[in-house]
Amino acid sequence: MRAAGVRQFGGPEVLQIVDVPPEPLGHGEVRLRVAAATVNPTDTYARQGAYAERDPVKTPPWVPGMDVAGTVAEVGEGVEHLSVGELVMGIVVPTGAHGGYREDLVLPADSVVPAPRGADAVAAATLPMNALTARLALDAMGLQPGQVLAVTGAAGAFGGYVVQLAKADGLTVVADAAEADEELVRQLGADVIVRRGDDVAGRVREHVPDGVDGLADGAVQDALVLPAVRDGGAVATVRGYRGDGRRGVRVFPTLVRRAAKDRAVLDRLGRQAEAGVLTLRVARTFPAEQAAEAHRLFERGGVRGRLVLTF
Ligand SMILES: NC(=O)c1ccc[n+]([C@@H]2O[C@H](COP(=O)([O-])OP(=O)(O)OC[C@H]3O[C@@H](n4cnc5c(N)ncnc54)[C@H](OP(=O)(O)O)[C@@H]3O)[C@@H](O)[C@H]2O)c1
């Protein structure tokens, strides 16, 4: 079976087409014929070997990828909600050769839901992982309608979904943007836009002098963003930052892999995409053979919408 994987960790050039055996199908699992897999930041870290220590599989190839869409090829015992031939999307917790960048992929059925109606596989693949992370981040902070949320990295995949979900939750959203991204971030629904950068916290305070109730840090600015938050406010981080323990600010490191089997939430996100609450943003597609080129482009920064590998 075809996959885009690595035999040794390194730069984009190590990503190649590798042959992997089909995965066995167990109880409560589904086999997908993957048509599309998105390129996410975590895939580039995986390619470089950042997770090699914690991955119990020590033999190559390693196949990155946490977001897929495609058709159901086979349904395991005990799976009621999916049927063969259906267009679906799913979230993958990669380990060894089990990752999203492969044409044959077996997933827990609870990690797979129908693709939003009207979306093709490429568009659907951009939803599961980042929208789920955005939902988790918002739920962890537990803000109430009318409260104020700041979002950094708002033009990105995670940040964009946070902005849209937060608006749907009735929050007021202050989002950062480079000048070139202002229109995009406004269209996502941000109420107030501040210029991105190291001094983003100060700019947020110019609009919200007492500090925001919550902040989702998609730009991974960690300590730099804490001053934007009021005493006792909340911050959701996405790369493990735990805060400095001061001013009663509660910091919630978000880890999407823990929620990868939360089918009800995934399904709701799919329906929100159908309803137009969430926008599926595709920058460009690459045949899986060009995965290295896709990683190269992604790592340069500035890509808006997701790059998607097709199989
Ligand atoms: N913990 C989890 O479960 C989890 C799940 C999903 C995502 N994540 C993490 O969340 C982060 C965001 O992911 P993503 O997919 O949304 O990435 P993305 O689409 O690349 O978005 C990141 C955004 O932040 C901007 N940015 C980067 N550095 C910045 C800085 N210093 N100041 C201001 N803006 C900056 C980027 O702009 P440029 O493109 O111009 O650099 C981009 O607009 C990644 O680190 C990812 O690994 C974690």
Side-chain angles (χ1 to χ4, degrees):
M1 291 291 173
R2 238 164 18 113
V6 305
R7 297 199 174 280
Q8 56 181 40
F9 301 119
E13 69 285 351
V14 300
L15 257 182
Q16 300 170 348
I17 294 295
V18 292
D19 191 31
V20 291
E23 300 192 307
L25 181 76
H27 187 273
E29 295 182 328
V30 288
R31 181 184 307 284
L32 303 189
R33 168 70 181 83
V34 172
T38 58
V39 174
N40 284 296
T42 186
D43 308 349
T44 66
Y45 311 144
R47 190 205 69 223
Q48 294 169 65
Y51 309 128
E53 283 304 311
R54 76 167 188 220
D55 190 339
V57 181
K58 300 294 177 203
T59 49
W62 290 274
V63 175
M66 291 193 69
D67 260 335
V68 294
T71 47
V72 176
E74 207 179 340
V75 174
E77 268 179 58
V79 178
E80 306 282 339
H81 73 288
L82 297 169
S83 44
V84 171
E86 197 173 356
L87 182 62
V88 293
M89 60 184 183
I91 177 167
V92 188
V93 178
T95 171
H98 173 77
Y101 297 2
R102 49 180 292 156
E103 61 183 349
D104 171 88
L105 180 67
V106 169
L107 289 179
D110 284 340
S111 298
V112 179
V113 297
R117 268 186 300 274
D120 61 10
V122 166
T126 64
L127 184 72
M129 202 270 282
N130 285 294
L132 187 56
T133 312
R135 187 67 266 162
L136 288 177
L138 286 166
D139 289 348
M141 289 186 281
L143 303 184
Q144 299 302 311
Q147 287 194 297
V148 182
L149 174 76
V151 184
T152 66
F158 165 78
Y161 286 138
V162 171
V163 171
Q164 292 190 305
L165 289 173
K167 287 309 299 171
D169 288 353
L171 304 180
T172 296
V173 175
V174 181
D176 76 342
E179 191 175 1
D181 290 324
E182 271 192 24
E183 189 49 36
L184 164 67
V185 174
R186 198 178 311 283
Q187 277 175 13
L188 292 171
D191 298 287
V192 176
I193 295 177
V194 296
R195 187 56 41 83
R196 69 179 251 183
D198 287 356
D199 49 359
V200 69
R203 295 199 225 267
V204 171
R205 284 268 182 175
E206 285 170 18
H207 290 273
V208 190
D210 294 338
V212 293
D213 300 298
L215 183 145
D217 188 19
V220 195
Q221 290 178 279
D222 295 347
L224 285 177
V225 300
L226 296 181
V229 182
R230 68 165 167 80
D231 292 4
V235 178
T237 64
V238 280
R239 299 233 40 105
Y241 181 64
R242 294 182 173 278
D244 60 11
R246 283 146 73 176
R247 298 193 298 113
V249 172
R250 295 157 296 129
V251 178
F252 300 95
T254 308
L255 208 51
V256 72
R257 55 176 58 216
R258 291 210 186 116
K261 293 185 195 164
D262 202 336
R263 170 154 64 97
V265 177
L266 264 182
D267 204 51
R268 196 172 341 119
L269 293 165
R271 306 299 74 81
Q272 286 185 293
E274 278 172 13
V277 171
L278 297 175
T279 312
L280 307 180
R281 294 185 286 146
V282 176
R284 192 173 151 188
T285 62
F286 290 83
E289 289 73 15
Q290 293 172 23
E293 182 53 29
H295 271 219
R296 213 169 277 126
L297 179 62
F298 188 62
E299 283 181 302
R300 265 184 231 141
V303 174
R304 299 295 175 253
R306 213 85 287 192
L307 303 177
V308 184
L309 305 181
T310 55
F311 285 85

